[in-house]
């Protein structure tokens, strides 16, 4: 069996409201390059990925098509398309636009994903049907009850879920169409797939693969960016 081709869907259509900045976080600069460029460069370097669909705020489709698709700096980026009002809709739009059996969804807001983590996640998905990167919890975990602590959560079995997440396009589309009337907000694709009855495997994620959400995260990412090489050139196809 040859290796399947995999489309990366990069949701970058969020408004970044928790960052409180003038521009959405994916366009803020990390050590001289927009955060989104770091993520696209990292995903472009992964040999398993054959094409990339960028999901952008609707008003930015034309500008980002010019910047990332026509300019061909990273030739794997084939399309920029409009996202929706939730992350789940943005990924769904990207999956619908993809032409491969397998999809890798990865948050634009996780710029330091490594090729090794992409490979681990892809291999687990091909073996088990769907897979995500995840980190075992080391801190004590609780629910919250207003200003007070709620219940204790068993740390020994808790995971913090990251992306990449790899699954079959047909599974995601079927789950989305069957369950969207429930009106739930899915914060990632594994939640939706599991709710549709699909088992999802996990592989060890990486601490560096943090999601940049708050100004604190951004400061930490800036330090990391100063120490990481930025891959400028086009990736191999
Ligand atoms: O909001 P959150 O941090 O979970 O967003 C994760 C990723 O999903 C971000 O890269 C963000 O740009 C993207 N997103 C999206 N469409 C939305 C909301 C978020 O593509 N409506």
């Amino acid at each position: 069996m040859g290796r399947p081709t995999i489309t990366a869907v990069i949701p970058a259509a969020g408004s970044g409201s928790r960052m409180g900045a003038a521009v959405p976080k994916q366009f803020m600069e990390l050590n001289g390059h927009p955060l989104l460029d770091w993520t696209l460069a990292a995903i472009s370097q992964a040999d398993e990925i054959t094409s990339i669909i960028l999901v952008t705020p609707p008003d930015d489709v034309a500008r980002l098509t010019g910047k990332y698709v026509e300019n061909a700096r990273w030739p794997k980026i084939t399309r920029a398309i409009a996202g929706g009002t939730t992350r789940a809709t943005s990924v769904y739009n990207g999956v619908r636009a993809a032409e491969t059996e397998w999809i890798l969804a990865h948050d634009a807001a996780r710029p330091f994903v490594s090729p090794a983590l992409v490979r681990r996640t892809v291999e687990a998905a091909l073996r088990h049907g769907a897979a995500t990167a995840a980190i075992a919890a080391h801190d004590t975990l609780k629910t919250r009850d207003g200003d007070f602590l709620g219940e204790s959560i068993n740390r020994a079995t808790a995971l913090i879920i990251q992306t990449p997440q790899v699954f079959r396009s047909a599974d995601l589309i079927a789950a989305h169409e069957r369950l969207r009337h429930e009106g739930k907000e899915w914060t990632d694709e594994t939640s939706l797939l599991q709710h549709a009855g699909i088992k999802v495997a996990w592989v060890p994620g990486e601490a560096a693969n943090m999601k940049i959400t708050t100004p604190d995260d951004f400061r930490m990412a800036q330090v990391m960016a100063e120490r990481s090489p930025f891959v400028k050139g086009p990736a191999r196809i």
Side-chain angles (χ1 to χ4, degrees):
M1 188 183 81
R3 290 188 74 78
T5 56
I6 300 177
T7 302
V9 171
I10 309 294
S15 61
S17 52
R18 286 165 293 181
M19 187 66 75
V23 289
K25 62 187 172 192
Q26 58 273 32
F27 306 126
M28 287 168 66
E29 290 213 345
L30 268 182
N31 202 22
H33 302 278
L35 193 163
L36 183 55
D37 285 24
W38 285 86
T39 309
L40 292 171
I43 291 292
S44 284
Q45 295 307 309
D47 290 337
E48 292 76 12
I49 300 302
T50 46
S51 57
I52 298 173
I53 293 179
L54 177 62
V55 187
T56 83
D59 291 347
D60 289 323
V61 172
R63 179 175 71 85
L64 297 184
T65 299
K67 176 168 181 189
Y68 293 113
V69 183
E70 285 157 13
N71 165 330
R73 179 180 182 191
W74 292 297
K76 289 183 185 178
I77 307 175
T78 52
R79 293 184 68 182
I81 64 161
T85 50
T86 65
R87 181 187 184 286
T89 327
S90 293
V91 173
Y92 175 71
N93 290 356
V95 172
R96 291 280 305 258
E99 289 169 356
T100 56
E101 178 186 1
W102 291 92
I103 304 289
L104 175 145
H106 181 68
D107 292 331
R110 295 183 190 269
F112 304 120
V113 58
S114 72
L117 181 52
V118 169
R119 174 159 308 152
R120 270 203 299 286
T121 317
V122 165
E123 283 174 355
L126 297 183
R127 201 169 322 124
H128 300 293
T132 184
I135 300 260
H138 299 304
D139 296 332
T140 295
L141 297 177
K142 308 270 180 183
T143 61
R144 61 183 173 203
D145 183 6
D147 288 340
F148 293 91
L149 299 181
E151 320 243 306
S152 299
I153 294 170
N154 183 2
R155 176 175 71 183
T157 57
L159 286 174
I160 297 162
I161 303 300
Q162 299 187 331
T163 68
Q165 304 191 340
V166 181
F167 45 84
R168 283 190 177 87
S169 161
D171 286 343
L172 197 276
I173 291 173
H176 193 97
E177 297 197 333
R178 192 154 65 79
L179 298 172
R180 83 172 128 210
H181 67 272
E182 291 189 6
K184 285 210 174 82
E185 177 149 356
W186 310 103
T187 53
D188 77 337
E189 280 47 67
T190 67
S191 307
L192 176 56
L193 290 167
Q194 284 186 285
H195 198 69
I198 290 168
K199 272 182 91 85
V200 183
W202 70 279
V203 297
E206 293 171 355
N209 183 36
M210 59 189 283
K211 184 167 73 169
I212 298 174
T213 306
T214 64
D216 247 7
D217 300 334
F218 201 83
R219 277 189 286 276
M220 178 112 66
Q222 183 63 31
V223 172
M224 289 168 65
E226 280 161 16
R227 295 171 179 202
S228 315
F230 181 82
V231 185
K232 283 205 166 84
R236 282 169 286 141
I237 298 195

